[in-house]
Amino acid sequence: MHAGFPCFTQDLQKTMRRGAAAREVPEALEAVGGTLIASGMAVLLKLGFAYVMRDSLLDKDRSEKAMSFFRNNFIFTDPNAPGGERYYQGKFLIRTRKAKDNMNVYMTFCAKPEELFTDTPFGRSLNPLAVVSTKILDEERAQRLEETAGQVDLVIRFKDNRAILRLIGQDDIDIVGLLLENVVQLTGNVGHLFKLGAIAAETEAALGLKS
Protein backbone atom coordinates (compact mmCIF):
# COMPACT_ATOMS: atom_id res chain seq x y z
CA MET A 1 0.00 0.00 0.00
CA HIS A 2 2.86 2.36 0.82
CA ALA A 3 4.14 2.02 -2.74
CA GLY A 4 0.70 2.89 -4.02
CA PHE A 5 0.99 6.48 -2.85
CA PRO A 6 3.49 9.14 -3.89
CA CYS A 7 6.69 9.61 -1.91
CA PHE A 8 7.21 13.11 -0.61
CA THR A 9 10.20 14.83 0.96
CA GLN A 10 11.35 13.67 4.38
CA ASP A 11 10.61 17.07 5.91
CA LEU A 12 7.04 17.03 4.65
CA GLN A 13 6.54 13.48 5.92
CA LYS A 14 7.82 14.53 9.36
CA THR A 15 5.56 17.57 9.36
CA MET A 16 2.52 15.46 8.49
CA ARG A 17 3.46 12.92 11.16
CA ARG A 18 3.81 15.60 13.83
CA GLY A 19 0.51 17.17 12.83
CA ALA A 20 -1.34 13.88 12.86
CA ALA A 21 0.11 13.00 16.25
CA ALA A 22 -1.21 16.19 17.84
CA ARG A 23 -3.97 15.38 20.30
CA GLU A 24 -6.30 18.04 18.91
CA VAL A 25 -6.16 16.84 15.28
CA PRO A 26 -8.60 13.91 15.43
CA GLU A 27 -11.20 16.01 17.25
CA ALA A 28 -10.81 18.86 14.76
CA LEU A 29 -11.17 16.52 11.81
CA GLU A 30 -14.23 14.91 13.36
CA ALA A 31 -15.77 18.38 13.52
CA VAL A 32 -15.12 19.35 9.88
CA GLY A 33 -15.62 15.87 8.40
CA GLY A 34 -13.29 14.54 5.73
CA THR A 35 -13.22 17.67 3.59
CA LEU A 36 -9.88 18.76 5.03
CA ILE A 37 -8.32 15.32 4.55
CA ALA A 38 -9.72 15.03 1.03
CA SER A 39 -8.39 18.47 0.06
CA GLY A 40 -4.91 17.68 1.32
CA MET A 41 -4.86 14.23 -0.25
CA ALA A 42 -6.00 15.59 -3.62
CA VAL A 43 -3.21 18.17 -3.71
CA LEU A 44 -0.48 15.81 -2.49
CA LEU A 45 -1.43 13.05 -4.92
CA LYS A 46 -1.47 15.41 -7.89
CA LEU A 47 1.79 17.14 -7.02
CA GLY A 48 3.47 13.97 -5.78
CA PHE A 49 2.97 12.00 -8.96
CA ALA A 50 3.81 15.00 -11.15
CA TYR A 51 6.91 15.98 -9.15
CA VAL A 52 9.49 14.29 -11.37
CA MET A 53 7.96 15.93 -14.44
CA ARG A 54 7.44 19.37 -12.88
CA ASP A 55 10.30 21.12 -14.74
CA SER A 56 9.50 19.77 -18.19
CA LEU A 57 8.68 23.22 -19.57
CA LEU A 58 11.88 24.96 -18.43
CA ASP A 59 14.53 23.69 -20.84
CA LYS A 60 15.35 20.93 -23.30
CA ASP A 61 17.26 18.65 -20.90
CA ARG A 62 14.54 18.66 -18.27
CA SER A 63 11.90 18.25 -20.96
CA GLU A 64 13.66 15.13 -22.26
CA LYS A 65 13.98 13.72 -18.73
CA ALA A 66 10.28 14.27 -18.07
CA MET A 67 9.34 12.75 -21.41
CA SER A 68 11.46 9.69 -20.66
CA PHE A 69 9.79 9.21 -17.28
CA PHE A 70 6.36 9.67 -18.83
CA ARG A 71 7.07 7.21 -21.64
CA ASN A 72 8.36 4.56 -19.23
CA ASN A 73 5.37 4.81 -16.90
CA PHE A 74 2.38 6.02 -18.87
CA ILE A 75 2.71 4.74 -22.44
CA PHE A 76 1.96 1.21 -23.59
CA THR A 77 2.60 -0.37 -26.96
CA ASP A 78 -0.74 -1.37 -28.44
CA PRO A 79 -1.02 -2.43 -32.09
CA ASN A 80 -4.77 -1.79 -31.96
CA ALA A 81 -4.42 1.81 -30.80
CA PRO A 82 -3.97 4.80 -33.14
CA GLY A 83 -0.24 5.20 -33.72
CA GLY A 84 0.43 1.87 -32.02
CA GLU A 85 0.49 3.38 -28.53
CA ARG A 86 -1.95 4.17 -25.75
CA TYR A 87 -1.76 6.02 -22.45
CA TYR A 88 -2.28 4.61 -18.98
CA GLN A 89 -5.63 6.04 -17.92
CA GLY A 90 -6.28 4.46 -14.53
CA LYS A 91 -9.20 5.89 -12.54
CA PHE A 92 -9.20 5.67 -8.74
CA LEU A 93 -11.76 6.59 -6.11
CA ILE A 94 -10.46 6.94 -2.54
CA ARG A 95 -13.19 6.92 0.12
CA THR A 96 -14.05 5.84 3.65
CA ARG A 97 -16.81 3.47 4.70
CA LYS A 98 -18.52 6.16 6.78
CA ALA A 99 -20.73 8.39 4.67
CA LYS A 100 -20.60 11.15 7.30
CA ASP A 101 -16.81 11.34 6.84
CA ASN A 102 -17.38 12.97 3.44
CA MET A 103 -13.87 11.94 2.35
CA ASN A 104 -13.86 11.25 -1.39
CA VAL A 105 -11.01 11.86 -3.83
CA TYR A 106 -11.22 10.93 -7.49
CA MET A 107 -7.84 10.55 -9.18
CA THR A 108 -7.27 9.89 -12.88
CA PHE A 109 -4.19 9.57 -15.08
CA CYS A 110 -3.97 11.05 -18.59
CA ALA A 111 -7.67 11.89 -18.52
CA LYS A 112 -7.33 14.41 -21.36
CA PRO A 113 -4.71 13.15 -23.83
CA GLU A 114 -5.12 16.27 -25.97
CA GLU A 115 -3.70 18.36 -23.12
CA LEU A 116 -0.67 16.17 -22.34
CA PHE A 117 1.76 17.96 -24.64
CA THR A 118 2.52 21.51 -25.58
CA ASP A 119 4.84 23.27 -28.03
CA THR A 120 7.82 25.12 -26.55
CA PRO A 121 10.80 27.00 -28.03
CA PHE A 122 12.85 23.81 -27.63
CA GLY A 123 10.25 21.48 -29.15
CA ARG A 124 7.19 19.54 -28.06
CA SER A 125 7.16 19.02 -24.33
CA LEU A 126 5.09 17.35 -21.65
CA ASN A 127 2.53 19.30 -19.64
CA PRO A 128 3.14 17.87 -16.15
CA LEU A 129 -0.12 19.16 -14.68
CA ALA A 130 -2.16 17.22 -17.25
CA VAL A 131 -0.73 13.84 -16.28
CA VAL A 132 -2.60 13.54 -12.97
CA SER A 133 -6.03 14.96 -12.21
CA THR A 134 -7.73 14.96 -8.80
CA LYS A 135 -11.19 16.04 -7.71
CA ILE A 136 -12.89 16.25 -4.34
CA LEU A 137 -16.42 14.82 -4.40
CA ASP A 138 -19.32 14.85 -1.99
CA GLU A 139 -20.89 11.54 -0.95
CA GLU A 140 -23.68 11.64 -3.51
CA ARG A 141 -21.39 12.35 -6.47
CA ALA A 142 -18.85 9.78 -5.30
CA GLN A 143 -21.49 7.07 -4.94
CA ARG A 144 -22.95 7.86 -8.34
CA LEU A 145 -19.50 7.77 -9.91
CA GLU A 146 -18.69 4.43 -8.28
CA GLU A 147 -21.89 2.94 -9.63
CA THR A 148 -21.36 4.21 -13.19
CA ALA A 149 -19.73 1.61 -15.41
CA GLY A 150 -16.32 2.55 -16.75
CA GLN A 151 -15.80 5.56 -14.49
CA VAL A 152 -13.74 3.89 -11.73
CA ASP A 153 -11.16 1.12 -12.11
CA LEU A 154 -10.40 0.71 -8.41
CA VAL A 155 -12.05 1.92 -5.22
CA ILE A 156 -9.74 2.21 -2.20
CA ARG A 157 -12.02 2.45 0.82
CA PHE A 158 -10.58 3.14 4.28
CA LYS A 159 -12.44 2.26 7.48
CA ASP A 160 -12.78 5.94 8.47
CA ASN A 161 -10.93 9.24 8.57
CA ARG A 162 -9.02 8.24 11.69
CA ALA A 163 -7.65 5.18 9.88
CA ILE A 164 -6.19 7.49 7.24
CA LEU A 165 -4.61 9.71 9.87
CA ARG A 166 -3.02 6.74 11.61
CA LEU A 167 -1.30 5.75 8.37
CA ILE A 168 0.24 9.17 7.72
CA GLY A 169 4.00 8.98 7.96
CA GLN A 170 4.19 5.22 8.57
CA ASP A 171 6.83 3.19 6.73
CA ASP A 172 6.53 -0.37 5.39
CA ILE A 173 2.74 -0.42 5.39
CA ASP A 174 1.51 -3.97 4.77
CA ILE A 175 -1.48 -4.00 2.42
CA VAL A 176 -2.25 -7.62 3.34
CA GLY A 177 -2.34 -6.70 7.02
CA LEU A 178 -4.59 -3.73 6.35
CA LEU A 179 -6.97 -5.92 4.38
CA LEU A 180 -7.02 -8.63 7.04
CA GLU A 181 -7.64 -6.06 9.75
CA ASN A 182 -10.47 -4.59 7.66
CA VAL A 183 -8.78 -1.17 7.65
CA VAL A 184 -8.82 -1.00 3.85
CA GLN A 185 -11.14 -2.54 1.30
CA LEU A 186 -10.43 -2.75 -2.43
CA THR A 187 -13.17 -2.97 -5.03
CA GLY A 188 -12.52 -3.33 -8.73
CA ASN A 189 -9.42 -4.24 -10.71
CA VAL A 190 -6.67 -4.70 -8.11
CA GLY A 191 -4.11 -4.76 -10.93
CA HIS A 192 -4.39 -0.98 -10.99
CA LEU A 193 -3.08 -0.84 -7.41
CA PHE A 194 0.11 -2.56 -8.57
CA LYS A 195 0.41 -0.08 -11.44
CA LEU A 196 -0.08 2.79 -9.01
CA GLY A 197 2.62 1.31 -6.80
CA ALA A 198 4.97 0.86 -9.75
CA ILE A 199 4.61 4.51 -10.74
CA ALA A 200 5.21 5.60 -7.14
CA ALA A 201 8.31 3.38 -6.93
CA GLU A 202 9.67 4.84 -10.17
CA THR A 203 9.02 8.33 -8.80
CA GLU A 204 10.93 7.46 -5.65
CA ALA A 205 13.83 6.04 -7.65
CA ALA A 206 13.95 9.07 -9.96
CA LEU A 207 14.17 11.34 -6.93
CA GLY A 208 17.03 9.28 -5.51
CA LEU A 209 14.97 8.19 -2.48
CA LYS A 210 15.23 4.48 -3.20
CA SER A 211 18.41 2.44 -3.43
Side-chain angles (χ1 to χ4, degrees):
M1 186 67 175
H2 177 64
F5 292 91
C7 300
F8 307 108
T9 64
Q10 188 176 28
D11 288 340
L12 181 55
Q13 287 181 337
K14 290 179 179 179
T15 300
M16 292 174 68
R17 186 182 297 114
R18 283 197 297 269
R23 185 176 58 186
E24 297 84 359
V25 169
E27 287 77 8
L29 288 172
E30 283 291 323
V32 302
T35 305
L36 179 61
I37 298 176
S39 298
M41 183 178 289
V43 172
L44 292 176
L45 286 170
K46 183 176 180 65
L47 296 181
F49 278 109
Y51 192 83
V52 176
M53 301 170 281
R54 71 193 187 283
D55 295 331
S56 62
L57 302 177
L58 297 183
D59 58 48
K60 184 177 180 180
D61 289 342
R62 280 178 278 198
S63 175
E64 291 177 350
K65 180 179 179 181
M67 287 289 286
S68 177
F69 180 86
F70 179 77
R71 177 167 290 279
N72 289 339
N73 290 280
F74 295 97
I75 296 182
F76 298 101
T77 299
D78 185 351
N80 298 318
E85 293 181 336
R86 63 180 176 86
Y87 303 116
Y88 174 64
Q89 296 181 296
K91 300 178 286 290
F92 300 84
L93 183 59
I94 305 171
R95 313 184 65 182
T96 73
R97 296 204 295 272
K98 286 188 176 181
K100 69 177 183 178
D101 281 349
N102 198 31
M103 207 307 294
N104 305 283
V105 177
Y106 183 51
M107 179 174 66
T108 58
F109 290 97
C110 306
K112 298 180 178 179
E114 68 277 7
E115 297 180 5
L116 284 172
F117 305 98
T118 185
D119 292 324
T120 69
F122 43 84
R124 193 160 177 76
S125 187
L126 182 71
N127 174 10
L129 295 180
V131 177
V132 188
S133 299
T134 55
K135 293 181 181 179
I136 302 168
L137 306 176
D138 60 28
E139 287 296 321
E140 182 179 351
R141 290 179 63 197
Q143 188 62 35
R144 188 165 60 247
L145 189 71
E146 183 175 347
E147 295 172 352
T148 302
Q151 292 301 304
V152 179
D153 294 310
L154 181 69
V155 180
I156 302 173
R157 186 178 275 105
F158 289 88
K159 180 179 180 181
D160 51 29
N161 284 333
R162 289 173 179 266
I164 295 175
L165 288 178
R166 285 195 294 269
L167 295 178
I168 293 177
Q170 289 187 20
D171 296 322
D172 301 323
I173 296 175
D174 178 15
I175 181 60
V176 175
L178 294 178
L179 292 170
L180 291 175
E181 294 168 12
N182 207 28
V183 176
V184 176
Q185 291 179 337
L186 304 176
T187 305
N189 186 343
V190 181
H192 284 276
L193 183 67
F194 293 104
K195 178 60 178 176
L196 193 67
I199 296 172
E202 288 291 327
T203 301
E204 189 177 10
L207 296 175
L209 301 177
K210 183 176 182 180
S211 57

